[in-house]
Amino acid sequence: AKKDVVIKELRLEKPRIYAYINRDGIPAWDVMCAAEADTLNVETDTVSGSLIEGIDIKNIRVEDGYLVFDDRANQLYARLEGFGLKIDGDFSGRKANLQLGAKAKNLLLWQEGNLLVKRLAFGIQTGMHVDRDSLLYRLDRAVMNVNGVKFGVGGELRGDTLKREMAVDLTFGMKVPSLKTLLDLVPETILKRDDRVEVAGEVSCKGTLKGMYGKDRVPVLEARFKVRDGAAKYAGMPYALEQLDIDVEGLIDLQKERASFVKLNRLCMKGTDVDIDLEGRVDDLITNPRVDAKVKAEVNFSILPKIFPLEEGVTMKGSLSAALRTHVLLADIMNKNFGKLDIRGGCRLRDVLLASEKD
């Protein structure tokens, strides 16, 4: 009688993977198999044909891989260094419940030759319900890690074999949000890690990734981040961060059908000899970034080492007093067209020195 061949684990170590999509949106692989394409008829020798019914792979592992994703249809190019993948479950049925994990030590992303993302480490752990008949992939209790910050993710993906598209409908939010999570994002070469910090305030970060992915179509990312009534006091420090309020939102549409932007509704930071109010926005974020901002700041940099436990070798001193309005194009700054910059107001710097021996 014919029997299945069961492979308990398929492991690839240090593979170099090139995932290519041509200008017509046709990939060099097919993960959206049609329901009727269950059986592949090939000529086999008599012995193997009489003994093997099918092949069942239980677990898949990719370790320390190098993945290049080259989408010529949307002019997207991504490179994933230190790429890892784990998939556990039964792949043989039309419906399956899998456990999936993926990670990369460094992600770089280009569009139309412009570098959009670099130095981004990420990972995701999730259950996944797979329905091969409807090409539905639903996430279950997914947790995503981006540069050390954890997000809960929910939603689903649905494939369309005729249009060669994937419908994306995902929502995300920060896991266990607190001001301590944000302070830990400051590089350790600048700020010491100290669990003896007392924090207050509400932190929220929520967003969506929705739309079609296919030829000339990319999902739209929308997100909003808030800190309300934030404060922090480190043990042994004579002063504290007395107030921190942040409200920033944004939209990114790589297909440029909607105007991409980042809007800072408010950034307010107050403490002893520190008073900063900032608001502004960056429009045409993908095409030709334009920055409009309003800044009021009174900062004694010498006080910051008495609020935050800075690393050895970090020096901050001097003072800043500013009241500015700006209307500038990023291209003018990059091209050193300083005469075109519209900056109004006043700014006074006195004996300012900001330095880090480790950077």
Side-chain angles (χ1 to χ4, degrees):
K2 294 184 179 181
K3 296 183 179 180
D4 285 343
V5 173
V6 178
I7 299 176
K8 292 186 177 180
E9 183 174 285
L10 174 63
R11 181 183 296 267
L12 301 175
E13 297 181 355
K14 296 185 177 181
R16 297 180 70 86
I17 304 168
Y18 180 62
Y20 172 77
I21 299 176
N22 69 19
R23 296 183 184 278
D24 295 322
I26 301 175
W29 72 94
D30 190 359
V31 296
M32 297 188 296
C33 300
E36 62 270 19
D38 250 358
T39 305
L40 180 63
N41 296 319
V42 297
E43 293 183 6
T44 60
D45 63 81
T46 306
V47 176
S48 61
S50 61
L51 296 179
I52 300 175
E53 175 72 19
I55 298 177
D56 183 9
I57 302 175
K58 293 297 183 183
N59 305 306
I60 296 176
R61 299 286 187 272
V62 175
E63 296 184 353
D64 196 18
Y66 184 92
L67 171 63
V68 170
F69 178 74
D70 187 358
D71 181 354
R72 301 290 177 88
N74 294 304
Q75 300 186 62
L76 290 173
Y77 183 93
R79 190 171 75 218
L80 286 75
E81 302 167 351
F83 174 68
L85 178 68
K86 294 182 180 180
I87 305 178
D88 298 335
D90 186 353
F91 298 85
S92 59
R94 302 301 305 171
K95 294 179 174 58
N97 292 317
L98 307 177
Q99 291 297 318
L100 183 146
K103 63 181 180 180
K105 294 180 180 178
N106 186 26
L107 167 66
L108 298 98
L109 174 66
W110 290 263
Q111 186 193 36
E112 299 176 353
N114 298 313
L115 181 61
L116 303 180
V117 177
K118 65 177 181 178
R119 296 179 183 174
L120 188 146
F122 86 94
I124 185 168
Q125 295 286 335
T126 182
M128 179 174 286
H129 304 296
V130 178
D131 188 330
R132 295 174 61 195
D133 294 318
S134 62
L135 300 178
L136 179 66
Y137 308 85
R138 180 175 290 115
L139 302 184
D140 179 25
R141 291 177 291 181
V143 177
M144 180 173 62
N145 188 316
V146 179
N147 283 352
V149 180
K150 292 183 178 180
F151 295 84
V153 184
E156 63 186 35
L157 313 172
R158 187 185 293 272
D160 186 327
T161 55
L162 296 178
K163 295 181 179 180
R164 294 189 178 275
E165 293 179 341
M166 179 78 76
V168 179
D169 187 358
L170 301 177
T171 60
F172 60 87
M174 187 183 294
K175 294 278 287 185
V176 194
S178 74
L179 192 56
K180 177 67 165 58
T181 304
L182 299 185
L183 294 172
D184 287 342
L185 294 179
V186 180
E188 293 185 56
T189 55
I190 303 296
L191 183 65
K192 293 179 180 178
R193 295 289 182 264
D194 192 340
D195 293 331
R196 299 175 302 163
V197 59
E198 298 179 4
V199 297
E202 301 176 2
V203 181
S204 67
C205 181
K206 298 179 180 179
T208 62
L209 182 65
K210 294 186 177 184
M212 303 298 299
Y213 187 83
K215 177 176 169 53
D216 299 325
R217 307 189 74 179
V218 177
V220 175
L221 174 67
E222 293 186 76
R224 188 160 191 172
F225 171 76
K226 289 184 178 183
V227 178
R228 182 180 177 184
D229 299 327
K233 176 68 170 70
Y234 283 91
M237 292 289 115
Y239 303 115
L241 176 63
E242 299 170 1
Q243 180 183 352
L244 180 64
D245 288 290
I246 303 173
D247 183 4
V248 58
E249 60 185 302
L251 179 149
I252 297 178
D253 181 4
L254 296 180
Q255 284 307 117
K256 307 179 185 66
E257 293 179 355
R258 300 171 64 183
S260 298
F261 70 91
V262 173
K263 182 182 179 184
L264 179 61
N265 297 308
R266 189 186 188 203
L267 188 156
C268 178
M269 179 177 175
K270 296 183 185 298
T272 302
D273 287 342
V274 176
D275 190 346
I276 301 173
D277 276 292
L278 175 63
E279 62 183 64
R281 60 183 294 145
V282 182
D283 290 300
D284 301 322
L285 186 63
I286 303 297
T287 52
N288 188 23
R290 184 180 71 253
V291 182
D292 292 279
K294 182 170 68 174
V295 182
K296 289 185 178 180
E298 298 287 341
V299 180
N300 178 358
F301 292 105
S302 302
I303 210 72
L304 295 181
K306 300 178 182 180
I307 298 176
F308 302 102
L310 303 181
E311 275 290 348
E312 298 294 331
V314 176
T315 302
M316 293 187 177
K317 62 182 182 179
S319 63
L320 164 70
S321 177
L324 297 170
R325 287 180 178 269
T326 67
H327 177 81
V328 300
L329 290 175
L330 182 60
D332 289 334
I333 297 176
M334 300 295 291
N335 296 327
K336 299 181 180 180
N337 295 324
F338 301 123
K340 293 184 178 182
L341 304 183
D342 184 358
I343 302 175
R344 305 181 186 189
C347 179
R348 177 179 294 177
L349 298 170
R350 290 184 177 179
D351 302 322
V352 173
L353 175 61
L354 308 174
S356 172
E357 295 179 356
K358 296 181 181 180
D359 287 337

